[in-house]
Amino acid sequence: MEKECTVDTFSEEETKALARTIARYLKPGDVIALEGDLGAGKTTLAQGIAKALGISGPVDSPTFTIIKEYEGTLPLYHMDVYRIDSPEEELGLEEYFYGDGVCLVEWASHVKPLLPDSTLWMFLTVKPDRRSIRIRSKDSRWNSLMKELAAR
Ligand code: ADP
Ligand code: MG
C-alpha cells in the first residue's frame, strides 16, 4: 500500500539531518527519486546522504554528466536526468536502477517508466520559510523509515 509523510525543514542543516536519517535505512538496490524546482534542495539531500555513506569528497550537481559514481559504505550513483526527454533512449540507466548500489535521481519524473516500484519518491516544495518535503513509496520496504519520520 502507498505510504506517505511530509517533513518540513527550516534550514539546509535540517535537510541534511533528514538525509542522515534516510541514509541509515539504505540498502543495495535502493532508488530515491528527487523532485522539485531548481534550488529546492535535491542536491543538498544528496550531499547529506553521500556524507552519511562515508563519502568525503565534494558532491555537486551532475547536471552535465548525468551520472556521478561514488564509493562509500555502498556504491552511490548520483544522477541528474533533467536533460533526458524520452526514457526509451536511455536503457543504460536501468543497469543502475536495478543494480547493487544506491541511486539518487534528481528530476526523476523524466525517467519515471524506468524506475523500480520500490522507488522512494521525495517531492520538495519551496515555501517562504521552509522546504516542505513529501515522501512517498508504494513499497512496504520503506515503512520503518516512514514510521520514524512520522514520529519526529
Ligand atoms: P537543487 O538540487 O534542488 O537545485 P540545491 O540543493 O542545489 O537545489 O540548492 C538548495 C539551496 O537552497 C541551497 O543554496 C541551500 O543552502 C538553500 N536552502 C535554504 N533552505 C533550505 C532547506 N530547508 N533545505 C535545503 N536547502 C535549503
Ligand atoms: Mg541539483
Side-chain angles (χ1 to χ4, degrees), residues 27-123:
K27 292 186 193 148
D30 283 340
V31 178
I32 299 184
L34 301 167
E35 280 290 314
D37 291 337
L38 199 66
K42 304 181 294 298
T43 298
T44 301
L45 263 169
Q47 288 167 341
I49 289 172
K51 196 168 176 198
L53 294 180
I55 294 153
S56 52
V59 173
D60 52 6
S61 226
T63 306
F64 297 100
T65 49
I66 297 185
I67 175 159
K68 283 190 182 169
E69 306 190 15
Y70 301 91
E71 202 55 53
T73 49
L74 295 168
L76 181 72
Y77 305 104
H78 182 202
M79 307 177 194
D80 183 329
V81 295
Y82 184 78
R83 285 180 167 71
I84 296 176
D85 302 315
S86 71
E88 311 82 63
E89 290 166 23
E90 299 293 336
L91 288 175
L93 288 179
E94 281 165 293
E95 277 183 46
Y96 294 98
F97 297 153
Y98 292 90
D100 284 334
V102 169
C103 292
L104 307 178
V105 191
E106 299 194 30
W107 301 101
S109 60
H110 287 235
V111 296
K112 196 175 177 199
L114 302 181
L115 294 169
D117 281 343
S118 58
T119 296
L120 183 74
W121 285 85
M122 301 184 70
F123 302 90

